[in-house]
Amino acid sequence: MELLEPALRTYPWGSRTMLADLRGTASPAPSPEAELWFGAHPAAPSTIGSRGLDAIIADDPRAALGQRVADKFDEHLPFLLKLLAAGAPLSLQAHPSKAQAVEGFRSEEAAGIDLHDPRRNYKDPNHKPELIVALTQFKALAGFRPYARTARLLDVLGSPLLNRYTSMVDPSEEEASLRALFTTLISLPRKASNLLIDETVNRARTLLENPDEAGGAGVEPWMVEVLTMFLELAAAYPGDIGALAALLLNYFTLEPGEALYLDAGQLHAYQSGLGVEIMANSDNVLRGGLTSKHVDVPELVRVLKFEALESPRAKTRAADGGAVGEEFVLPMEDFRLSRYALGEGAELAVESDGPAIVLCTSGEAVGRGATGEELTLRPGQAAWVPASDARVVFTAEGADGAELFLASV
């Protein structure tokens, strides 16, 4: 068990206050702080002392990962744990499947595209299913909305230009309709997209200011949320067709402790808030808009799943560890994540044949190993527990207890 120093990522959409306030560092920070990476991704590995976790694992994969995990995942840590602070909307994006990532990575390697080239789509040959758990109220666009609901929204919106495109689709064929409408919108020439965005913005403003404009039917509450979000995106990214494409997605507001799970090919864009995110150990992102980074619409469309996603909210079940907690139910094997709210003196026992990372998000907890070593975790700090540590027990200190997240395989 050792303290794991995270890699800080300073993307423009990050927050100057969320991570700083959580960790008790100077707030506001001098630049936006977007993510803290706790893991062994070669692009930005966490460190123990002065060494990267990826190098430490490579020295002795069996001791670090255990036989089961080392054999199954080719001697690599299969997950990446993050603290994510969205002070502004993230890009409209999706991630590839394992097969798509392997193919894309090999193709770009063969083409000689440097790994750090901003045009590079595939940074590694891995998929990137992900789970986000809210620590504060967290807003997110996630998955295509069932087309029947989207059709109601667009009918109420009443944009003549937009209706030209929606009239081309067959509502009885949901997946085909979503594919046709999204692909058409995201591929529009600049002049046509600017006209469409301007008209849709004007219609949305009119409806929010005077709901009776909606043919006397009024605007449903969920539509108010979606249209408000659309206007915010259109203002933040002028002329970006991604704002219009976002009208096709589910819009969620998560309260602390609630979570979303997104598999390969599911379009999403986190909007605001602080959360704990865990994903397969990958940095592959295909973007379609709402960003100044590289956008590759054809490749994004190639990896997207166009079936409607009714709700990506993750379910939970009782967690192991000798403490009251909840494990998020996930349909894959690369990672597990459990959340524990420990009262003063309550304990969480970490016992596994594989590796674990224990992240503290509130309060204080002291970890004690089988040989008597101790490590204190405070908010924003994490412990690396290799498979060779037979048993580590974390005890909440102080009247406020502690909130801990346990990431494992």
Side-chain angles (χ1 to χ4, degrees), residues 171-182:
S172 66
E173 298 289 338
E174 181 170 77
E175 186 172 335
S177 295
L178 289 170
R179 177 184 292 275
L181 186 54
F182 176 81

Side-chain angles (χ1 to χ4, degrees), residues 94-175:
H95 311 299
S97 67
K98 177 67 174 178
Q100 290 166 341
V102 169
E103 177 190 350
F105 183 78
R106 288 176 178 170
S107 176
E108 291 186 340
E109 287 286 283
I113 303 174
D114 186 81
L115 199 59
H116 302 290
D117 190 313
R119 298 170 299 161
R120 181 95 184 210
N121 289 319
Y122 295 93
K123 305 296 180 66
D124 50 70
N126 206 9
H127 63 164
K128 193 182 176 184
E130 62 187 47
L131 176 82
I132 183 77
V133 185
L135 293 178
T136 64
Q137 190 177 81
F138 194 94
K139 297 182 182 295
L141 292 162
F144 286 105
R145 185 187 305 109
Y147 188 76
R149 294 191 79 205
T150 293
R152 295 208 322 265
L153 171 66
L154 300 183
D155 284 345
V156 167
L157 192 56
S159 162
L161 281 177
L162 190 54
N163 287 343
R164 292 182 188 177
Y165 301 105
T166 58
S167 64
M168 300 177 190
V169 304
D170 180 359
S172 66
E173 298 289 338
E174 181 170 77
E175 186 172 335

Side-chain angles (χ1 to χ4, degrees), residues 360-386:
C360 179
T361 54
S362 71
E364 186 175 301
V366 177
R368 295 179 175 87
T371 58
E373 71 273 24
E374 290 191 0
L375 176 64
T376 299
L377 293 182
R378 297 179 177 85
Q381 293 184 323
W384 165 248
V385 183

